[in-house]
Amino acid sequence: DPSAVFGLGLLLTVLALGVTRLLQSDWLPLATLAGAAGLLAAWHQASFRPAAGFTAVAWYAGFHAVFAAFPFLFRRHVSSLSGPWVAAALSGVVVFPLVLRVVKAAWPNDLLGLLAVAFAIPAFFSLAGVLRLLPVDHPRRLAATAWFGGVALFFVTLIFPLQCSRQWITLGWALEGAALLWWFQRVPHPGLRLTGLGLLAAAFARLALNPALLETWIRGD
């Protein structure tokens, strides 16, 4: 049962985020997210058993919720910082692989794409919160919109690789790259363009420049 160590870790997380609010530290939320991710991953690798599936998912979701809610609950104090918004957006991406491993081990099924949908919904709600709560001229509105929108699109395009096999993982990269470039047309943040082009280049290299693909399937008549 990880409750004792996870409870202490969550307490330290809350305290670190409180220090962020007091000292206006831009890097501390990301460092705290990295520490929390290390704690969760270390326990999962060493001690997880399928019987602890519900407990593990509850704690993983709890950590995700704390990071996701922090910049909205204290937006008057930290809205000018970029670190809290980035950590809030990335917390779902950090937690998702662990939750996926729990579901595969404890409740194997053929509808893993629904798990990506479950993570996409909070990202879309966070995006809506940014658009509603931050003024148009706010210095962090553009970056926060880009991060939450990009993460939401990431989970949407992740549905296909989770539901399908063979080359769908690589095609998922291509779909995510195209989605980010589409989002860049509406939110002109340069990070979206660079990430989208990088994913498209990686997908092209994986599908077109990989000689192993020419030998994987025997050519028919």
PDB file of all heavy atoms in Angstrom, residues 90-103:
ATOM      1  N   LEU A  90       1.416  19.498 -18.386  1.00  0.00           N
ATOM      2  CA  LEU A  90       2.214  18.282 -18.531  1.00  0.00           C
ATOM      3  C   LEU A  90       1.894  17.222 -17.493  1.00  0.00           C
ATOM      4  O   LEU A  90       2.303  16.069 -17.661  1.00  0.00           O
ATOM      5  CB  LEU A  90       3.703  18.626 -18.451  1.00  0.00           C
ATOM      6  CG  LEU A  90       4.289  19.410 -19.621  1.00  0.00           C
ATOM      7  CD1 LEU A  90       5.774  19.652 -19.401  1.00  0.00           C
ATOM      8  CD2 LEU A  90       4.070  18.659 -20.931  1.00  0.00           C
ATOM      9  N   SER A  91       1.198  17.563 -16.425  1.00  0.00           N
ATOM     10  CA  SER A  91       0.939  16.575 -15.375  1.00  0.00           C
ATOM     11  C   SER A  91       0.154  15.383 -15.905  1.00  0.00           C
ATOM     12  O   SER A  91       0.416  14.232 -15.533  1.00  0.00           O
ATOM     13  CB  SER A  91       0.188  17.231 -14.217  1.00  0.00           C
ATOM     14  OG  SER A  91      -1.065  17.757 -14.635  1.00  0.00           O
ATOM     15  N   GLY A  92      -0.794  15.632 -16.795  1.00  0.00           N
ATOM     16  CA  GLY A  92      -1.538  14.521 -17.385  1.00  0.00           C
ATOM     17  C   GLY A  92      -0.669  13.641 -18.251  1.00  0.00           C
ATOM     18  O   GLY A  92      -0.804  12.406 -18.241  1.00  0.00           O
ATOM     19  N   VAL A  93       0.237  14.259 -19.001  1.00  0.00           N
ATOM     20  CA  VAL A  93       1.149  13.487 -19.860  1.00  0.00           C
ATOM     21  C   VAL A  93       2.082  12.632 -19.011  1.00  0.00           C
ATOM     22  O   VAL A  93       2.413  11.501 -19.373  1.00  0.00           O
ATOM     23  CB  VAL A  93       1.954  14.447 -20.755  1.00  0.00           C
ATOM     24  CG1 VAL A  93       2.928  13.679 -21.637  1.00  0.00           C
ATOM     25  CG2 VAL A  93       1.013  15.277 -21.620  1.00  0.00           C
ATOM     26  N   VAL A  94       2.504  13.150 -17.854  1.00  0.00           N
ATOM     27  CA  VAL A  94       3.407  12.417 -16.966  1.00  0.00           C
ATOM     28  C   VAL A  94       2.704  11.232 -16.320  1.00  0.00           C
ATOM     29  O   VAL A  94       3.272  10.137 -16.201  1.00  0.00           O
ATOM     30  CB  VAL A  94       3.975  13.373 -15.899  1.00  0.00           C
ATOM     31  CG1 VAL A  94       4.692  12.597 -14.803  1.00  0.00           C
ATOM     32  CG2 VAL A  94       4.926  14.377 -16.540  1.00  0.00           C
ATOM     33  N   VAL A  95       1.463  11.429 -15.906  1.00  0.00           N
ATOM     34  CA  VAL A  95       0.733  10.396 -15.167  1.00  0.00           C
ATOM     35  C   VAL A  95       0.148   9.329 -16.097  1.00  0.00           C
ATOM     36  O   VAL A  95       0.017   8.159 -15.705  1.00  0.00           O
ATOM     37  CB  VAL A  95      -0.374  11.060 -14.324  1.00  0.00           C
ATOM     38  CG1 VAL A  95      -1.331  10.023 -13.748  1.00  0.00           C
ATOM     39  CG2 VAL A  95       0.243  11.881 -13.204  1.00  0.00           C
ATOM     40  N   PHE A  96      -0.182   9.698 -17.324  1.00  0.00           N
ATOM     41  CA  PHE A  96      -0.892   8.788 -18.220  1.00  0.00           C
ATOM     42  C   PHE A  96      -0.181   7.444 -18.424  1.00  0.00           C
ATOM     43  O   PHE A  96      -0.845   6.391 -18.356  1.00  0.00           O
ATOM     44  CB  PHE A  96      -1.127   9.463 -19.578  1.00  0.00           C
ATOM     45  CG  PHE A  96      -1.811   8.569 -20.570  1.00  0.00           C
ATOM     46  CD1 PHE A  96      -3.185   8.400 -20.525  1.00  0.00           C
ATOM     47  CD2 PHE A  96      -1.093   7.882 -21.540  1.00  0.00           C
ATOM     48  CE1 PHE A  96      -3.831   7.562 -21.427  1.00  0.00           C
ATOM     49  CE2 PHE A  96      -1.714   7.050 -22.435  1.00  0.00           C
ATOM     50  CZ  PHE A  96      -3.090   6.885 -22.389  1.00  0.00           C
ATOM     51  N   PRO A  97       1.133   7.384 -18.692  1.00  0.00           N
ATOM     52  CA  PRO A  97       1.760   6.070 -18.894  1.00  0.00           C
ATOM     53  C   PRO A  97       1.623   5.145 -17.688  1.00  0.00           C
ATOM     54  O   PRO A  97       1.467   3.920 -17.853  1.00  0.00           O
ATOM     55  CB  PRO A  97       3.234   6.415 -19.166  1.00  0.00           C
ATOM     56  CG  PRO A  97       3.223   7.826 -19.626  1.00  0.00           C
ATOM     57  CD  PRO A  97       2.097   8.483 -18.889  1.00  0.00           C
ATOM     58  N   LEU A  98       1.668   5.713 -16.482  1.00  0.00           N
ATOM     59  CA  LEU A  98       1.517   4.884 -15.290  1.00  0.00           C
ATOM     60  C   LEU A  98       0.091   4.341 -15.182  1.00  0.00           C
ATOM     61  O   LEU A  98      -0.111   3.158 -14.876  1.00  0.00           O
ATOM     62  CB  LEU A  98       1.872   5.695 -14.046  1.00  0.00           C
ATOM     63  CG  LEU A  98       3.312   6.198 -13.972  1.00  0.00           C
ATOM     64  CD1 LEU A  98       3.498   7.097 -12.753  1.00  0.00           C
ATOM     65  CD2 LEU A  98       4.292   5.040 -13.926  1.00  0.00           C
ATOM     66  N   VAL A  99      -0.900   5.184 -15.429  1.00  0.00           N
ATOM     67  CA  VAL A  99      -2.285   4.732 -15.387  1.00  0.00           C
ATOM     68  C   VAL A  99      -2.531   3.682 -16.466  1.00  0.00           C
ATOM     69  O   VAL A  99      -3.223   2.672 -16.233  1.00  0.00           O
ATOM     70  CB  VAL A  99      -3.243   5.922 -15.555  1.00  0.00           C
ATOM     71  CG1 VAL A  99      -4.692   5.454 -15.609  1.00  0.00           C
ATOM     72  CG2 VAL A  99      -3.061   6.913 -14.408  1.00  0.00           C
ATOM     73  N   LEU A 100      -1.941   3.874 -17.630  1.00  0.00           N
ATOM     74  CA  LEU A 100      -2.091   2.894 -18.711  1.00  0.00           C
ATOM     75  C   LEU A 100      -1.530   1.539 -18.305  1.00  0.00           C
ATOM     76  O   LEU A 100      -2.142   0.494 -18.560  1.00  0.00           O
ATOM     77  CB  LEU A 100      -1.395   3.410 -19.969  1.00  0.00           C
ATOM     78  CG  LEU A 100      -1.437   2.499 -21.202  1.00  0.00           C
ATOM     79  CD1 LEU A 100      -2.876   2.269 -21.648  1.00  0.00           C
ATOM     80  CD2 LEU A 100      -0.619   3.095 -22.343  1.00  0.00           C
ATOM     81  N   ARG A 101      -0.374   1.531 -17.648  1.00  0.00           N
ATOM     82  CA  ARG A 101       0.214   0.276 -17.196  1.00  0.00           C
ATOM     83  C   ARG A 101      -0.645  -0.391 -16.133  1.00  0.00           C
ATOM     84  O   ARG A 101      -0.777  -1.615 -16.107  1.00  0.00           O
ATOM     85  CB  ARG A 101       1.621   0.535 -16.660  1.00  0.00           C
ATOM     86  CG  ARG A 101       2.627   0.923 -17.728  1.00  0.00           C
ATOM     87  CD  ARG A 101       3.978   1.274 -17.136  1.00  0.00           C
ATOM     88  NE  ARG A 101       4.595   0.149 -16.468  1.00  0.00           N
ATOM     89  CZ  ARG A 101       5.758   0.204 -15.838  1.00  0.00           C
ATOM     90  NH1 ARG A 101       6.415   1.360 -15.783  1.00  0.00           N
ATOM     91  NH2 ARG A 101       6.258  -0.863 -15.261  1.00  0.00           N
ATOM     92  N   VAL A 102      -1.249   0.414 -15.265  1.00  0.00           N
ATOM     93  CA  VAL A 102      -2.145  -0.146 -14.248  1.00  0.00           C
ATOM     94  C   VAL A 102      -3.344  -0.816 -14.902  1.00  0.00           C
ATOM     95  O   VAL A 102      -3.725  -1.944 -14.561  1.00  0.00           O
ATOM     96  CB  VAL A 102      -2.609   0.947 -13.267  1.00  0.00           C
ATOM     97  CG1 VAL A 102      -3.702   0.414 -12.350  1.00  0.00           C
ATOM     98  CG2 VAL A 102      -1.441   1.443 -12.439  1.00  0.00           C
ATOM     99  N   VAL A 103      -3.957  -0.127 -15.861  1.00  0.00           N
ATOM    100  CA  VAL A 103      -5.147  -0.662 -16.518  1.00  0.00           C
ATOM    101  C   VAL A 103      -4.812  -1.942 -17.281  1.00  0.00           C
ATOM    102  O   VAL A 103      -5.565  -2.928 -17.229  1.00  0.00           O
ATOM    103  CB  VAL A 103      -5.752   0.402 -17.457  1.00  0.00           C
ATOM    104  CG1 VAL A 103      -6.870  -0.198 -18.307  1.00  0.00           C
ATOM    105  CG2 VAL A 103      -6.275   1.576 -16.646  1.00  0.00           C
TER     106      VAL A 103
END
